[in-house]
Amino acid sequence: MADDNSHTNDTDGIGSTPGFRTAPEERSLTDDESSQGLFDDLLSGEPIFENKEVLRPSYTPHELPHRSDQINKMATILVSALRGETPSNILIYGKTGTGKTASAKFVSQELEQTSSKYSVPCEVEYINCEVTDTQYRVLAQLANKFIEKNHEWIDDRLDELTDLHDRVESIDDDRREMDATKPSTTEADEHQSPQSADETDDLDPPETNGDDGTDEAPSTATDSVSEPTVQFQEESVVSSDGDDDDGGVADEASGVDESTPTHPLADTPFDSIDAVTERIEELEDDRDSFEEVPMTGWPTDRVYSVFFDAVDYSERVVVIMLDEIDKLVEKSGDDTLYNLSRMNSELENSRVSIMGISNDLKFTDFLDPRVKSSLGEEEIVFPPYDANQLRDILQHRSDVAFKGDALSPDVIPLCAAFAAQEHGDARRALDLLRTAGELAERSQTDTIVEDHVRQAQDKIELDRVVEVVRTLPTQSKLVLFSIIMLEQNGVHSINTGEVYNIYKRLCQELDTDVLTQRRVTDLISELDMLGIVNAVVVSKGRYGRTKEISLSVPLEETEVVLRSDSRLSDIDDVQPFVQARFDN
């Protein structure tokens, strides 16, 4: 009875058995269900995007609208690589967002796929020279890529040769085992029981080789073939499962069995297992000889030598794609391009071609004439997109990027119009569409409308200004801060002299070196080029010409970014003197 009560108490959750923990666990689960975390509300809405990565610049689409002419021209130049020939060097020009890099990557992917299809050794290596902007880094990155590819090739070849070696060794072991178990003729005669002459006469007559009845001596395969042939034939006597059958017995007269598989070395360049072993040792030595190049610390000529040996290790055609090639020339000169464009004359096994991509149409003006002549063998220009072309591109991407009817009809035309106003920048159009989708998703709406696009336009513009202003040098920040202070004091059409006067006072307050007025004028021109200010040269008649300067970015947001700099945060109390002037 006590056991029954105890059992009853346990099931009621009163005892100390595991049944007691049931109620707290249920309460804990209820608490978890009732509590809402930080991201629960954000995840409650339906996502608008199906694949957001399609709208990013790094994505390479399977189809590039309105770039078929440029793609076909690149393909006709690079097709010679599939024939084992050296393609002409290519220079690709065009403004930002005109599809240069995407088209080049698309052609490169097609080239590598076709080379794999026809078993032609052809490779494309991509380097972004805005990041890898020195000769050492370019050569080191290329060297390490080819060293890695060589290691992969050597490892695959070693696996094949090791398997071949094991199969040949297994066949030789089977042959030796078969020879060891086969009794000799002397041993057979000794074990044979003695027979009388009468019994011998009663035996079947021996085989004859003709009508004359002459006995034929038994022949063996070893008497009629050379020793290497014996090795192959004896292996072929053994079937794949190791059992002998009637179909696997060699013809004693010829020593060859045509019904058995060939020896593993028959269709290889090796004549013995020792040759296979020697080749394996050579490949292992080659693999150990390739030393990875560190990103710093070696002499440049040593890095070039390692790169040269790595790329020339096997037969192949290599296309080196240098994106933002003008950044490399600007940072480290044209030595890298000279070495790459001239190395074909020294290579024995491989061939190298260069594909350069640049936003600057005039960067070749700074190249050595020899480099310019060899590098610019073929030139392809990518014109800016117009609004209709941008609309097609956005429509093509949006079909994959968004779900169902997530876009209102006026979204894509508005994004295309905004991007076409600048210089046909497809990258800007894609950023607009993606940012509009993100804003709509954050507001938990199911459809992207025109207002989201306009908000995205303002956000992107502000983000660009913030990033540009934040990364300006200190002297440029002081010049820009001088212009902002003049506008805050009601001065319009600011001239260079007024900016320079306030700039000098700010430098004195911050204990900073004061640049000359000519240098400050250059800094104003740089701000104009970045789109932060608008500087127009106007004529004052007999008083000469001057620059009239005005701010092109939001004043308050720009001032906040400038004051985030620790050095400029101390100029709160500075009230510069604004010179009175008489304007016509």
Side-chain angles (χ1 to χ4, degrees):
M1 193 69 181
D3 293 340
D4 294 338
N5 292 336
S6 173
H7 178 71
T8 303
N9 290 341
D10 289 344
T11 56
D12 292 338
I14 300 174
S16 59
T17 62
F20 174 73
R21 292 191 292 271
T22 302
E25 285 183 356
E26 291 177 352
R27 287 197 300 270
S28 176
L29 182 61
T30 304
D31 292 341
D32 291 341
E33 291 176 348
S34 62
S35 63
Q36 290 293 323
L38 177 63
F39 294 98
D40 291 330
D41 291 338
L42 299 176
L43 291 173
S44 60
E46 287 294 326
I48 291 178
F49 292 100
E50 185 73 33
N51 184 4
K52 189 190 294 187
E53 299 304 315
V54 174
L55 300 177
R56 297 195 181 277
S58 58
Y59 176 77
T60 302
H62 299 294
E63 181 182 353
L64 288 162
H66 307 290
R67 283 295 177 254
S68 57
D69 292 341
Q70 289 80 6
I71 289 174
N72 290 334
K73 187 173 182 180
M74 278 189 278
T76 56
I77 296 171
L78 295 176
V79 70
S80 58
L82 298 174
R83 303 188 184 105
E85 303 168 356
T86 307
S88 299
N89 296 325
I90 305 174
L91 280 182
I92 300 174
Y93 299 103
K95 293 184 178 180
T96 302
T98 53
K100 304 182 303 299
T101 302
S103 299
K105 286 185 175 181
F106 174 79
V107 174
S108 300
Q109 291 176 359
E110 291 289 322
L111 180 65
E112 290 186 325
Q113 291 175 3
T114 307
S115 68
S116 177
K117 176 181 178 182
Y118 293 104
S119 300
V120 178
C122 183
E123 304 169 10
V124 180
E125 298 297 339
Y126 173 83
I127 291 182
N128 186 349
C129 296
E130 191 167 9
V131 178
T132 311
D133 56 355
T134 65
Q135 180 181 9
Y136 186 100
R137 292 178 181 176
V138 169
L139 295 177
Q141 185 170 332
L142 287 172
N144 289 334
K145 284 184 177 181
F146 286 110
I147 288 173
E148 181 180 358
K149 289 180 180 291
N150 291 343
H151 281 167
E152 293 175 356
W153 183 89
I154 291 174
D155 290 340
D156 292 341
R157 186 62 177 150
L158 284 174
D159 291 341
E160 296 173 1
L161 292 177
T162 303
D163 179 67
L164 177 63
H165 182 277
D166 293 342
R167 286 190 288 124
V168 174
E169 193 173 40
S170 176
I171 290 171
D172 291 346
D173 291 341
D174 291 342
R175 177 177 58 83
R176 286 190 290 268
E177 182 178 354
M178 185 174 60
D179 291 343
T181 58
K182 182 178 179 181
S184 63
T185 304
T186 305
E187 292 175 348
D189 292 340
E190 291 177 354
H191 293 295
Q192 187 177 7
S193 60
Q195 296 176 344
S196 63
D198 295 336
E199 291 175 341
T200 306
D201 294 339
D202 293 337
L203 295 176
D204 293 336
E207 294 181 359
T208 59
N209 194 28
D211 296 336
D212 55 358
T214 305
D215 295 343
E216 179 184 352
S219 64
T220 62
T222 55
D223 294 331
S224 59
V225 294
S226 61
E227 182 177 352
T229 307
V230 171
Q231 179 181 352
F232 283 17
Q233 301 305 330
E234 288 181 349
E235 182 274 328
S236 62
V237 170
V238 183
S239 63
S240 60
D241 56 0
D243 298 330
D244 295 340
D245 52 22
D246 294 340
V249 179
D251 185 357
E252 293 183 354
S254 63
V256 177
D257 179 14
E258 296 180 353
S259 65
T260 56
T262 59
H263 192 276
L265 296 179
D267 296 329
T268 67
F270 307 105
D271 57 0
S272 66
I273 191 172
D274 293 335
V276 178
T277 304
E278 182 179 355
R279 180 56 179 159
I280 290 176
E281 293 174 353
E282 290 177 357
L283 289 174
E284 290 175 344
D285 291 340
D286 289 345
R287 183 178 57 184
D288 295 338
S289 66
F290 288 119
E291 182 180 0
E292 185 174 351
V293 179
M295 294 312 295
T296 57
W298 282 13
T300 306
D301 57 348
R302 181 183 177 187
V303 179
Y304 177 79
S305 177
V306 172
F307 160 65
F308 184 93
D309 294 338
V311 74
D312 202 35
Y313 181 70
S314 61
E315 291 186 4
R316 55 188 159 197
V317 178
V318 178
V319 179
I320 300 175
M321 189 191 309
L322 300 175
D323 199 0
E324 306 289 351
I325 189 173
D326 51 299
K327 304 294 184 182
L328 175 63
V329 175
E330 179 182 344
K331 180 71 176 289
S332 59
D334 56 7
D335 291 342
T336 308
L337 302 181
Y338 180 83
N339 291 330
L340 293 177
S341 61
R342 298 284 173 169
M343 67 185 302
N344 282 325
S345 60
E346 302 175 3
L347 293 171
E348 296 181 359
N349 300 318
S350 61
R351 293 291 178 265
V352 172
S353 176
I354 301 174
M355 181 189 298
I357 304 173
S358 173
N359 299 327
D360 187 0
L361 297 174
K362 298 181 178 180
F363 94 95
T364 55
D365 296 343
F366 304 100
L367 297 178
D368 185 282
R370 296 169 296 176
V371 178
K372 185 176 180 180
S373 63
S374 60
L375 187 64
E377 295 173 341
E378 298 282 351
E379 295 184 354
I380 302 176
V381 178
F382 280 66
Y385 294 108
D386 58 31
N388 292 328
Q389 292 173 337
L390 290 174
R391 187 182 306 176
D392 293 340
I393 294 171
L394 293 178
Q395 187 65 54
H396 185 265
R397 299 283 187 100
S398 64
D399 292 341
V400 184
F402 295 101
K403 291 186 175 181
D405 299 329
L407 294 176
S408 62
D410 54 352
V411 168
I412 288 181
L414 185 59
C415 289
F418 278 144
Q421 286 177 1
E422 296 198 2
H423 45 257
D425 189 345
R427 190 174 301 170
R428 178 64 177 270
L430 292 171
D431 285 344
L432 263 177
L433 186 58
R434 176 179 52 80
T435 305
E438 290 173 347
L439 292 175
E441 201 170 52
R442 291 169 192 171
S443 60
Q444 296 186 349
T445 58
D446 298 331
T447 306
I448 305 172
V449 296
E450 179 181 340
D451 186 52
H452 293 133
V453 178
R454 298 190 181 278
Q455 293 177 19
Q457 170 79 351
D458 296 338
K459 182 178 184 300
I460 290 176
E461 182 65 26
L462 181 59
D463 290 345
R464 185 184 70 85
V465 170
V466 168
E467 182 63 22
V468 171
V469 173
R470 186 182 62 82
T471 56
L472 286 175
T474 302
Q475 293 288 350
S476 297
K477 287 182 178 179
L478 290 173
V479 173
L480 180 58
F481 204 95
S482 303
I483 298 171
I484 289 176
M485 297 189 74
L486 284 167
E487 289 211 352
Q488 287 176 337
N489 282 272
V491 180
H492 303 288
S493 300
I494 306 165
N495 59 50
T496 307
E498 292 169 334
V499 174
Y500 187 69
N501 288 336
I502 299 179
Y503 162 79
K504 287 192 298 183
R505 293 199 57 187
L506 293 177
C507 290
Q508 293 172 359
E509 291 289 336
L510 300 178
D511 193 20
T512 305
D513 295 338
V514 179
L515 302 179
T516 63
Q517 185 166 344
R518 178 183 294 274
R519 180 60 184 141
V520 169
T521 303
D522 294 338
L523 294 180
I524 293 173
S525 299
E526 292 178 4
L527 294 175
D528 181 26
M529 182 183 65
L530 293 171
I532 298 175
V533 302
N534 183 26
V536 180
V537 178
V538 296
S539 175
K540 296 294 184 180
R542 63 177 182 175
Y543 297 105
R545 298 189 306 170
T546 186
K547 279 186 177 180
E548 289 189 350
I549 307 162
S550 60
L551 206 61
S552 301
V553 293
L555 188 148
E556 294 181 358
E557 289 83 356
T558 307
E559 183 181 4
V560 169
V561 177
L562 289 175
R563 290 186 182 278
S564 64
D565 190 325
S566 58
R567 300 194 64 184
L568 274 66
S569 60
D570 298 333
I571 57 177
D572 294 337
D573 299 331
V574 176
Q575 294 295 330
F577 170 74
V578 180
Q579 182 178 0
R581 62 181 178 177
F582 296 96
D583 292 332
N584 294 331

